[in-house]
Amino acid sequence: MKIQGELDSLQVTIVAEDSVLYESPLLGQHGISMFLEARRGEVTRNILVDVAQNPQALLENMKLLGIQPESIDTIVITHCHYDHTQGLVRILERIYKSDLPVVVHPELFRLNFVDEPFLRHVGVMGGDAREKIAAAGGILFECRQPLQLLPGLCTSGEIERETDFEEVGIALRTIVDGNIVEDAMPDDLSLFARIRNKGTVILTGCSHAGVVNICRQCRKMTGKQPITALIGGFHLVEASAERISRTVEALGQLEISSVLAGHCTGFNAQAELLKAFGERFTPLRTGMRFAF
Ligand SMILES: [Fe+2]
Ligand SMILES: [Fe+2]
């Protein structure tokens, strides 16, 4: 699918992230949440991408950042992990609307677990189960394909895994028909925005599909438009030095104007990105705002 149309503008606010800006009163938490204001002609849509894991902290940050929860029109969930989904029902209750689109991959609600340092489910928690989302006013759009939110802005759909050096980044498993199997995170979605005279903006949650795979998919869907900004988590926190250097090299070849990476990107990868991209790299912090 090719992205149809263009936005006139896009503003991205980091409502939750693992760290905060110097002197900031905002609350950090392990997780990510971004608030988008997408404009096209007369239409403005406010889209919340992920909810991190602490709804109290998220709502407090929204208040400090002047974001009214009632102004949210759509929620997109990038993948199942609790640090992106926990408290979704609380946020929906606060938004207090009916039939608010909640865009997810159809496998979002599966069991997703680690067994180190001990056995635990790390996917969508019971408090945010399907039926509770519906009861709180959300209507689930569960799809594998890219979904247009408005012309110029869509979800990536399932990401093609092309590179030989990228993988999920963490030993995750699920259970299918009573059998334990590796979980390849098929539900990992990103968002792609085409903005008039500004190129493309890519927003990722954790990039479990591989950040280079995500950028390549975006290039296919935008007809090779230049990438203005790549924003989000790259999940390289446990990656080998080799994977990090191959990732940074591949991103370098994609001619990305600015890389804004945080959350699960990890310090080593951030350091390599800084070396490669210089001033075009910024570590992501809660409270940052970017206007395109
Ligand atoms: Fe994450
Ligand atoms: Fe994740």
Side-chain angles (χ1 to χ4, degrees):
M1 178 195 136
K2 287 266 188 284
I3 299 178
Q4 303 299 317
E6 289 178 321
L7 299 178
D8 293 329
S9 67
L10 176 72
Q11 183 166 277
V12 181
T13 305
I14 309 301
V15 194
E17 202 268 337
D18 297 48
S19 56
V20 297
L21 285 163
Y22 184 63
E23 295 192 330
S24 169
L26 296 167
L27 301 171
Q29 56 174 300
H30 173 60
I32 199 162
S33 176
M34 305 183 238
F35 178 74
L36 315 184
E37 292 160 270
R39 290 203 175 80
R40 184 175 193 267
E42 302 292 290
V43 176
T44 300
R45 292 271 98 181
N46 294 333
I47 297 147
L48 190 67
V49 181
D50 290 345
V51 297
Q53 63 166 306
N54 183 333
Q56 252 172 298
L58 190 74
L59 290 167
E60 175 65 16
N61 285 355
M62 279 190 195
K63 194 163 80 184
L64 292 168
L65 291 162
I67 297 167
Q68 317 294 330
E70 314 80 57
S71 76
I72 294 168
D73 302 303
T74 302
I75 296 178
V76 177
I77 295 294
T78 61
H79 65 294
C80 65
H81 288 153
Y82 71 93
D83 57 313
H84 298 251
T85 58
Q86 190 164 269
L88 173 58
V89 164
R90 276 277 305 279
I91 302 301
L92 282 166
E93 285 167 354
R94 186 65 187 73
I95 294 171
Y96 200 60
K97 287 185 184 169
S98 14
D99 303 319
L100 185 110
V102 178
V103 180
V104 307
H105 184 278
E107 288 175 54
L108 188 86
F109 298 95
R110 73 197 181 286
L111 182 73
N112 183 262
F113 70 94
V114 292
D115 56 10
E116 276 182 34
F118 52 83
L119 183 72
R120 80 185 164 123
H121 172 58
V122 292
V124 178
M125 298 295 163
D128 300 301
R130 261 199 188 89
E131 55 288 359
K132 290 182 181 165
I133 290 171
I139 181 155
L140 284 164
F141 284 64
E142 301 183 52
C143 62
R144 294 175 200 280
Q145 289 84 17
L147 183 69
Q148 179 175 294
L149 306 179
L150 67 163
L153 178 64
C154 68
T155 62
S156 61
E158 279 184 6
I159 302 289
E160 249 179 78
R161 316 288 170 107
E162 281 184 359
T163 54
D164 60 2
F165 57 90
E166 296 187 295
E167 37 82 37
V168 166
I170 171 173
L172 293 160
R173 301 195 170 85
T174 189
I175 297 180
V176 180
D177 298 330
N179 296 309
I180 300 168
V181 293
E182 296 290 312
D183 192 318
M185 297 299 295
D187 56 326
D188 190 56
L189 304 178
S190 293
L191 279 98
F192 301 150
R194 274 182 58 164
I195 303 153
R196 178 156 308 141
N197 303 324
K198 297 250 172 86
T200 305
V201 172
I202 302 176
L203 301 154
T204 70
C206 275
S207 303
H208 290 296
V211 68
V212 177
N213 286 330
I214 291 167
C215 291
R216 287 184 183 171
Q217 182 133 335
C218 179
R219 293 289 294 263
K220 281 183 223 154
M221 287 170 61
T222 56
K224 301 204 171 155
Q225 269 208 334
I227 299 170
T228 304
L230 170 60
I231 307 172
F234 298 177
H235 210 100
L236 296 167
V237 65
E238 283 153 352
S240 65
E242 195 209 334
R243 179 178 172 188
I244 291 173
S245 82
R246 292 190 70 184
T247 300
V248 172
E249 191 193 328
L251 291 177
Q253 286 163 2
L254 285 163
E255 295 168 57
I256 304 167
S257 307
S258 81
V259 175
L260 305 129
H263 180 45
C264 50
T265 303
F267 181 73
N268 291 348
Q270 286 184 323
E272 292 303 316
L273 286 164
L274 177 63
K275 267 194 240 162
F277 285 84
E279 284 182 354
R280 293 184 295 136
F281 168 74
T282 307
L284 217 52
R285 304 268 185 260
T286 312
M288 283 182 164
R289 259 192 177 128
F290 313 106
F292 304 99

